[in-house]
Amino acid sequence: MKSTIARRCGALLAAAVLAAGGLAACSKGNSPSTDNNKRLRIAYLSFAVANSYDAPMLAAAKAAASARNADVEVFDAANSDATQFSQFQNAITSGRFDGIIVQPIVGTALVPLAQQAITQGIKVVNIDQILGPDYTTDQPQVDGLSGNVVFIPDKIGRQLGELAVAACASKSLNPCNIGFIHDIKASTLGIAIKSAFDKAIAGTPSVKIVAEGESFFNPGVALQAAQNMLQAQPGINLFVSSDQGLQGVTQALAAANKPGSILMVGYGGSAAGFGYLKDGTSFGDVVQAPASEGQLGMEALINAIRTGANAGAVNPVGALPNDGVANKDNVDQFTAEWPG
């Protein structure tokens, strides 16, 4: 898997740097550290280290840093936006770091801190989540950002909605009653995905959400949510969630003696999610590539520190087949970058 990631990441980063030709001369902040022998200090602001999605992202970032003469200090927000805000402040004021990688929980709240860091000559790269108010683009929304390696939440939500409509049509379900399990309902990511999902299914009146739950990216919490939803709405015939949420759903269906009787649609591109596609449990999955993000983000940051070049927007799934949507017929064309 590492060689696959490395090839994809190297090509994407090279393309991004070439597309940003001349940015070294235009970059802001302190002069670049051209001494490759200098040991760099990087702050990595994780939204949640314990999340199985974050682990391969962090591991890939650390490996990229180690190969480029840099040390990484991890700040774990444990899904708390207030904690992350404070950690970002501390990373800036400590004066100990040459660069900062951030995975925003509430991206709009962190914009002023990113601007402050950049003004003080600290290079900043954003990965995974959106840093700014627009969830329909992967373009940088902070002036002077050294790289933006993200998925587009609006696109994930739209593709999930399109998969839901197609899944319902595949079984001629009318009505098609959806149980929608949010990851973190109040997060900006969750709001953006749900909004785009609602728009995608709006043109198909037979497809509607009848129950909602929340997983906090935890299969055990998703299990309880799915059980509550099935009890309140026994007519649910499609569950929509992240791959971690779907793990809880499959447990709930097994406990209710209904395995395989209810359709599933997910996002994440995990080993678990691909397994559900292969056995027919799930209809489709919107793929993500967290390890690629971690590697690409760290490479962009260290390149910015050493040369002053900004990578701009880097698409971690741009080279994937079928616009990054996996199904039973094409799942073997994808490689899972995290377990689920």
Side-chain angles (χ1 to χ4, degrees):
M1 184 184 78
K2 285 186 178 179
S3 60
T4 301
I5 295 171
R7 287 195 299 272
R8 181 194 307 158
C9 291
L12 287 169
L13 185 60
V17 172
L18 285 172
L23 281 176
C26 303
S27 60
K28 297 187 176 182
N30 290 350
S31 299
S33 174
T34 55
D35 181 6
N36 290 332
N37 293 319
K38 177 188 176 184
R39 191 77 178 174
L40 300 179
R41 298 162 300 176
I42 308 297
Y44 184 101
L45 305 183
S46 169
F47 65 81
V49 170
N51 191 311
S52 61
Y53 172 84
D54 182 61
M57 194 185 315
L58 176 56
K62 284 183 172 180
S66 178
R68 289 161 180 79
N69 200 21
D71 294 317
V72 178
E73 183 173 332
V74 180
F75 294 78
D76 182 9
N79 287 322
S80 168
D81 58 310
T83 297
Q84 187 173 65
F85 188 92
S86 177
Q87 289 173 338
F88 203 163
Q89 285 181 315
N90 292 340
I92 295 169
T93 59
S94 71
R96 295 188 294 111
F97 299 106
D98 302 291
I100 298 173
I101 282 183
V102 60
Q103 301 171 299
I105 298 172
V106 180
T108 49
L110 300 184
V111 168
L113 293 180
Q115 293 171 329
Q116 178 184 342
I118 293 166
T119 298
Q120 294 183 16
I122 303 170
K123 299 297 185 183
V124 179
V125 165
N126 179 59
I127 65 173
D128 194 53
Q129 309 296 324
I130 299 298
L131 181 64
D134 189 348
Y135 284 74
T136 66
T137 180
D138 60 1
Q139 295 301 309
Q141 299 178 50
V142 176
D143 187 35
L145 196 69
S146 293
N148 201 46
V149 188
V150 299
F151 302 113
I152 303 174
D154 183 82
K155 182 178 180 181
I156 292 174
R158 173 178 57 79
Q159 290 178 317
L160 273 177
E162 292 169 350
L163 279 174
V165 171
C168 294
S170 73
K171 298 293 185 181
S172 300
L173 297 175
N174 188 0
C176 187
N177 298 320
I178 297 175
F180 190 98
I181 300 182
H182 304 261
D183 295 302
I184 301 176
K185 187 174 182 178
S187 70
T188 47
L189 171 67
I191 293 169
I193 288 177
K194 176 62 164 48
S195 176
F197 181 89
D198 289 342
K199 292 177 183 177
I201 68 171
T204 311
S206 60
V207 179
K208 57 184 179 180
I209 295 174
V210 298
E212 298 183 32
E214 199 166 11
S215 73
F216 295 95
F217 297 104
N218 186 315
V221 177
L223 164 61
Q224 185 63 57
Q227 288 176 325
N228 293 341
M229 294 161 71
L230 286 169
Q231 184 174 6
Q233 294 287 345
I236 290 174
N237 40 32
L238 170 64
F239 271 104
V240 176
S241 185
S242 66
D243 287 0
Q244 290 153 316
L246 294 188
Q247 290 181 66
V249 170
T250 56
Q251 295 175 46
L253 295 179
N257 200 27
K258 294 183 177 181
S261 64
I262 295 178
L263 287 168
M264 300 195 313
V265 166
Y267 79 94
S270 68
F274 289 163
Y276 297 145
L277 292 176
K278 291 176 181 179
D279 67 19
T281 304
S282 180
F283 180 84
D285 197 280
V286 181
V287 179
Q288 295 177 280
S292 292
E293 279 193 323
Q295 181 177 333
L296 284 165
M298 186 60 71
E299 288 175 350
L301 181 61
I302 292 175
N303 187 53
I305 296 169
R306 299 234 188 254
T307 72
N310 291 349
V314 182
N315 184 352
V317 294
L320 295 180
N322 197 34
D323 201 22
V325 178
N327 54 49
K328 188 173 184 178
D329 294 331
N330 69 10
V331 64
D332 289 335
Q333 299 176 34
F334 296 86
T335 300
E337 292 191 3
W338 63 294

